[in-house]
Amino acid sequence: MNYTAVSTYADSDSSTIDEYQLPFAAIYDGDDIIDANNGVRYFRTPPSEWSKVELEDGVSEGGRTIDPIEWTGEKEEPVNITDEEIESLKDSDGEIRYEKVFEWLLPRFGEDNNETLFDWQAARMRNYMRKKEVEDGWKPKYYQGDDTIQPNHVARFYGSLLAKMLTGSRSINQMFCTREIFNAVPPIQESMPKNALEDMTSCLHYSDDWDVMGDEDWDEVYDDPKVIAPPHTARHRVKHGILEDCYIQYCVNPSRWITTDESRIAGWYHSCMTIGPDPKPIRTGATLHTVCITQGPLSSYKLYARVYGGKDDQDMNVHHKHTVKRAKMVSLYDFMLESFKHKGHCVVMDSAYMSDAMAQIGRNHWGINMVGTCQSDRTGAGKLGKADVKAKEVVIGSHESLMYQAIALYCLGRQQLLRGGMKRKKRNRSTKRRDREFTDVDCPIQQKDYCETYHLIDKGNGAEAKYDLSTESHLHGWSPKLAARYFNMNINNAYKIHCYLFKKHHPTKVVMPLKECIHNLTHSLLQRGDTMRKRGGGAPPKATKDITTSSSVDGRKVRSDSVRQPFTSPTATVHTATPQTPVSDLTGRALRYRKASSKLRKERQPGRVHISVPVVVKKNRATSYCKYHKCPGKNTGAKRKRAYMSKYACEDCSLEKGVDFFLCNSTKSVGGNLVVVDCHTAYHVEKKLYTAPSPVSTAESSIISELTE
């Protein structure tokens, strides 16, 4: 069978299309072998093709020599930037500024790359805010009326994330505190109101991955066009795939040596993305695979980043065309190293990725020298090594080592052995402690190359991790965490380019440290565009505090019914005031009791579904406003548009949402006349939970209800 012929008539929509492979073994027709046109496919080299190698006495080198693939990349400028772009990065004094380099390096969107990150993300957040308003009845606190999320607001939002990181990742309530100087963050308070930050945090989104409810068209509901990931995007990348791809910008020319590594993004244990690829699972966060420059002025610059989607990652959970079995790491490296193939690059990796199949494919088909350590179960020499270790009583973890080479394997870089190529500390067999002095150890040249290069990416990741951003949103899964991580990577990449350009164009000046550059970037983002405050933010907390009494409070006064009360000494004089009406939703215990009672009532009354029931509501309770977004109370002409207050709530909706879900179901006084307002029926008809009675329609509530005779 010919692979091309079979694949032409294969069902591409079949669930097993990715698992389908023609047999690896030869296909015979009588005594003749049929060419299946499958190409060359690799698997773990059997033990019979490996042999142990030892250096002879008096010889400094040994083993078989395999020359690496020659480097064909041209020696170019490390940064692809024009003279006009360099001039745009300078300030009024002609000095290159870090914050300008940072924004120059941010991803761009659109067909002509004319849409900045802030423009693109503002549109996605506006769409998601509109969705929450229409479908969930959610009401923003700051963005009301004609106020919408603007690109400058998104820039200020990122500036608040940086300020939050610099001040110890405080909560929103702490950052806007007016009483304690050690909690407050004045730059954020001056940049935007608390309500604006909360609204933008609730509306973080990076893809319009939803459909319009009902028969309406997208353009009729949303002001911005719909942007979604391509059709064949892996499931876990639907929400953040566009953002992830656009952060991959090849505006630099990497040198020959590049390094790959896996890092962790903290998150939830139960997510599918928290399980890393075996045999080194990372179970405390998502696994992020990165490719970076190893040496030179741009060392640790991230060239590529891709998050692992768990065992069902559709981009990796497939048979690679050059492997017999399903090798996920080979599939991963195939698209991670796409732009570096056939140039003679040396790619350094650790044992989580390396195998002899990976090395053969890299050399024979990608034109890449694969350098790194490999676990014993990924090579055919593993069983031989374990047997020799046991026979020679070699202690695992000591400085002693055994070396093997494949008889027909011409792809692991330079296999030539060096005497005393590395230094290790001997382990005493009796005390189990290592010596203070180093001892020379024989090793292959490629092992020496690995030890001299791989630690550089760890140091770069460590320096970058000092300024990791964090988000307070638990509503949108992984997308905000990944977006913050990519933004953090851009901070490090921009600093590498800034240092190179600054030293080149200002050789007599000293480059500003990274932390001071981040300070300037934070101020630049927080001050972007017109002010967001409609009134002053007030004075920041005092730098000093009266500690002679434990009941003194600076800043705004605390309501007597507030949950956060200042500590009061038992011996202090307490001044009582008129208590205000408490505002609280259903507690967990009350919700459980309500659900049990509702279940019992439904057993006795099978047709009891979405019944409007009266609720004991204290006067002026803030949460008793009608939740229907078309409540006629908003059309009364009042200066502040608010729905009517109601004493009736939907029984089932309240239990489902965990709060009393108020909906109008009573009479209201309009112009001195009592009219029926039935938002309860209108809301459930719109959500298709009720069927509108014929011949009238209740799809839209009005002051004079259509149900009224």
Side-chain angles (χ1 to χ4, degrees):
M1 293 183 296
N2 182 275
Y3 180 82
T4 304
V6 173
S7 62
T8 301
Y9 296 97
D11 182 6
S12 59
D13 297 328
S14 172
S15 60
T16 59
I17 187 67
D18 291 333
E19 287 82 8
Y20 177 74
Q21 292 284 327
L22 288 174
F24 174 72
I27 302 174
Y28 288 90
D29 182 8
D31 295 332
D32 298 330
I33 299 179
I34 299 175
D35 182 12
N37 195 26
N38 288 334
V40 181
R41 286 197 267 170
Y42 300 89
F43 57 95
R44 185 172 59 187
T45 309
S48 59
E49 297 188 14
W50 289 82
S51 61
K52 188 169 64 173
V53 183
E54 295 181 355
L55 287 174
E56 300 178 359
D57 294 337
V59 179
S60 59
E61 296 180 355
R64 186 181 67 253
T65 300
I66 300 179
D67 294 328
I69 299 175
E70 294 184 3
W71 168 246
T72 59
E74 298 179 1
K75 188 175 181 181
E76 302 173 342
E77 280 291 316
V79 182
N80 293 326
I81 186 170
T82 63
D83 295 337
E84 293 77 9
E85 290 175 325
I86 291 178
E87 290 300 319
S88 67
L89 304 180
K90 297 180 179 180
D91 58 13
S92 57
D93 297 329
E95 186 174 298
I96 296 177
R97 302 288 299 181
Y98 168 76
E99 54 270 23
K100 292 179 178 289
V101 176
F102 176 86
E103 294 198 32
W104 173 76
L105 198 60
L106 280 175
R108 292 187 171 272
F109 303 83
E111 297 180 357
D112 299 328
N113 292 331
N114 56 354
E115 193 175 7
T116 66
L117 171 66
F118 304 138
D119 293 324
W120 180 84
Q121 189 167 336
R124 308 287 77 73
M125 294 170 70
R126 284 194 296 267
N127 286 343
Y128 190 67
M129 178 177 287
R130 180 62 177 161
K131 174 184 181 295
K132 294 181 65 177
E133 291 176 333
V134 173
E135 298 184 9
D136 303 332
W138 178 77
K139 292 300 177 185
K141 300 176 181 178
Y142 176 83
Y143 294 99
Q144 299 178 357
D146 296 332
D147 291 337
T148 58
I149 299 177
Q150 299 300 317
N152 290 333
H153 299 180
V154 177
R156 292 188 178 219
F157 173 78
Y158 275 109
S160 68
L161 292 183
L162 289 171
K164 177 182 178 181
M165 174 269 297
L166 293 170
T167 54
S169 297
R170 303 168 185 175
S171 66
I172 294 180
N173 286 329
Q174 288 176 322
M175 292 189 295
F176 285 88
C177 178
T178 61
R179 304 182 184 95
E180 179 56 66
I181 188 63
F182 295 115
N183 288 336
V185 184
I188 298 180
Q189 294 181 1
E190 185 66 26
S191 177
M192 68 181 72
K194 177 184 175 184
N195 290 343
L197 182 58
E198 290 176 340
D199 287 350
M200 286 191 285
T201 302
S202 299
C203 295
L204 289 175
H205 228 68
Y206 311 91
S207 176
D208 305 327
D209 56 321
W210 65 85
D211 295 325
V212 183
M213 294 182 62
D215 299 330
E216 295 179 322
D217 186 65
W218 179 276
D219 296 333
E220 295 177 358
V221 181
Y222 301 96
D223 296 329
D224 296 285
K226 185 173 184 178
V227 175
I228 57 175
H232 299 292
T233 303
R235 282 192 299 268
H236 77 285
R237 300 182 71 243
V238 169
K239 292 185 179 294
H240 66 270
I242 300 176
L243 184 69
E244 186 175 68
D245 292 339
C246 288
Y247 263 106
I248 303 169
Q249 299 187 66
Y250 300 105
C251 57
V252 297
N253 298 311
S255 56
R256 184 180 191 185
W257 287 84
I258 57 179
T259 308
T260 60
D261 192 20
E262 56 182 359
S263 58
R264 182 177 61 89
I265 301 177
W268 301 283
Y269 173 78
H270 295 289
S271 170
C272 66
M273 291 170 61
T274 61
I275 308 301
D278 291 335
K280 284 182 60 180
I282 298 179
R283 301 185 183 274
T284 56
T287 309
L288 187 69
H289 303 284
T290 55
V291 180
C292 77
I293 298 176
T294 306
Q295 300 171 340
L298 301 181
S299 176
S300 78
Y301 180 98
K302 300 295 188 301
L303 297 166
Y304 189 96
R306 206 270 191 185
V307 70
Y308 177 64
K311 63 179 181 180
D312 295 326
D313 190 326
Q314 293 146 310
D315 292 337
M316 297 169 56
N317 195 27
V318 296
H319 275 94
H320 191 268
K321 63 181 180 181
H322 290 308
T323 59
V324 176
K325 295 184 178 181
R326 186 177 303 175
K328 293 184 178 181
M329 295 298 101
V330 175
S331 299
L332 171 67
Y333 270 54
D334 194 3
F335 56 78
M336 282 182 63
L337 302 178
E338 180 63 34
S339 61
F340 310 108
K341 293 178 180 178
H342 307 293
K343 296 179 182 179
H345 279 287
C346 294
V347 178
V348 185
M349 66 191 75
D350 66 357
S351 58
Y353 306 107
M354 186 59 133
S355 65
D356 56 5
M358 172 78 82
Q360 295 179 76
I361 294 172
R363 181 180 179 91
N364 296 335
H365 299 278
W366 299 343
I368 296 176
N369 301 294
M370 313 299 270
V371 180
T373 59
C374 185
Q375 297 187 12
S376 59
D377 60 350
R378 295 191 180 181
T379 67
K383 295 182 179 180
L384 301 175
K386 289 181 179 179
D388 284 348
V389 165
K390 185 176 181 180
K392 294 189 175 185
E393 298 182 353
V394 176
V395 178
I396 297 177
S398 67
H399 75 291
E400 300 175 82
S401 62
L402 302 174
M403 290 172 286
Y404 294 80
Q405 68 181 10
I407 296 175
L409 196 59
Y410 302 100
C411 51
L412 292 179
R414 292 175 288 174
Q415 288 292 308
Q416 189 175 19
L417 305 181
L418 291 178
R419 184 176 297 281
M422 295 190 301
K423 294 184 179 294
R424 291 288 183 268
K425 292 184 178 181
K426 286 186 177 180
R427 186 188 296 275
N428 190 297
R429 294 198 175 190
S430 58
T431 63
K432 306 298 182 182
R433 294 183 177 179
R434 293 191 180 273
D435 296 343
R436 297 176 63 90
E437 303 297 331
F438 286 95
T439 301
D440 292 337
V441 177
D442 302 338
C443 70
I445 290 181
Q446 75 101 21
Q447 182 73 11
K448 184 173 182 291
D449 293 337
Y450 169 84
C451 294
E452 290 177 345
T453 56
Y454 196 79
H455 69 283
L456 298 175
I457 190 173
D458 289 330
K459 290 182 178 179
N461 290 339
E464 184 178 321
K466 296 179 181 178
Y467 306 103
D468 278 347
L469 304 184
S470 63
T471 60
E472 201 173 353
S473 173
H474 300 280
L475 304 175
H476 313 284
W478 279 101
S479 298
K481 297 177 182 294
L482 297 176
R485 183 69 180 89
Y486 298 142
F487 195 83
N488 176 248
M489 284 172 42
N490 200 75
I491 291 176
N492 179 72
N493 286 353
Y495 187 69
K496 294 296 179 181
I497 293 180
H498 170 70
C499 290
Y500 171 77
L501 295 177
F502 195 92
K503 292 177 181 177
K504 178 180 179 180
H505 294 274
H506 312 297
T508 60
K509 297 183 179 180
V510 180
V511 182
M512 187 180 296
L514 176 58
K515 189 171 185 178
E516 294 184 19
C517 289
I518 294 178
H519 289 171
N520 291 340
L521 173 63
T522 304
H523 286 296
S524 173
L525 294 176
L526 287 175
Q527 300 169 20
R528 178 69 63 88
D530 297 332
T531 179
M532 294 179 62
R533 282 197 167 274
K534 299 175 183 178
R535 58 182 179 182
K542 296 179 180 179
T544 58
K545 187 176 182 179
D546 182 11
I547 58 174
T548 58
T549 174
S550 57
S551 58
S552 64
V553 178
D554 296 329
R556 297 193 185 102
K557 294 182 179 179
V558 183
R559 288 168 49 133
S560 60
D561 63 334
S562 175
V563 177
R564 299 180 180 86
Q565 293 291 336
F567 173 75
T568 303
S569 173
T571 60
T573 302
V574 180
H575 300 280
T576 59
T578 303
Q580 299 186 20
T581 304
V583 179
S584 61
D585 291 324
L586 293 176
T587 62
R589 186 176 183 182
L591 185 61
R592 289 195 297 271
Y593 284 151
R594 279 203 187 182
K595 288 183 177 180
S597 300
S598 176
K599 183 179 180 181
L600 182 60
R601 286 193 296 269
K602 287 186 177 183
E603 291 177 355
R604 296 174 179 174
Q605 305 173 18
R608 188 184 181 94
V609 179
H610 291 285
I611 301 298
S612 179
V613 295
V615 180
V616 177
V617 180
K618 295 185 178 181
K619 188 177 181 181
N620 296 330
R621 181 176 178 184
T623 56
S624 62
Y625 289 102
C626 177
K627 298 296 191 294
Y628 185 43
H629 67 98
K630 295 181 181 179
C631 177
K634 298 181 179 180
N635 302 326
T636 58
K639 184 176 181 180
R640 181 178 180 183
K641 292 183 179 182
R642 291 196 298 188
Y644 282 130
M645 296 183 71
S646 176
K647 295 183 180 180
Y648 291 85
C650 178
E651 187 179 50
D652 289 354
C653 292
S654 298
L655 296 178
E656 178 184 343
K657 300 179 184 300
V659 294
D660 287 323
F661 196 76
F662 292 97
L663 293 167
C664 295
N665 189 20
S666 60
T667 59
K668 301 293 181 182
S669 177
V670 179
N673 299 321
L674 289 177
V675 295
V676 175
V677 180
D678 188 7
C679 293
H680 179 87
T681 302
Y683 172 84
H684 289 88
V685 169
E686 183 178 295
K687 296 296 183 181
K688 298 182 180 181
L689 301 173
Y690 278 0
T691 301
S694 179
V696 297
S697 171
T698 58
E700 195 169 315
S701 179
S702 61
I703 292 180
I704 301 178
S705 175
E706 295 174 353
L707 300 180
T708 307
E709 295 181 358

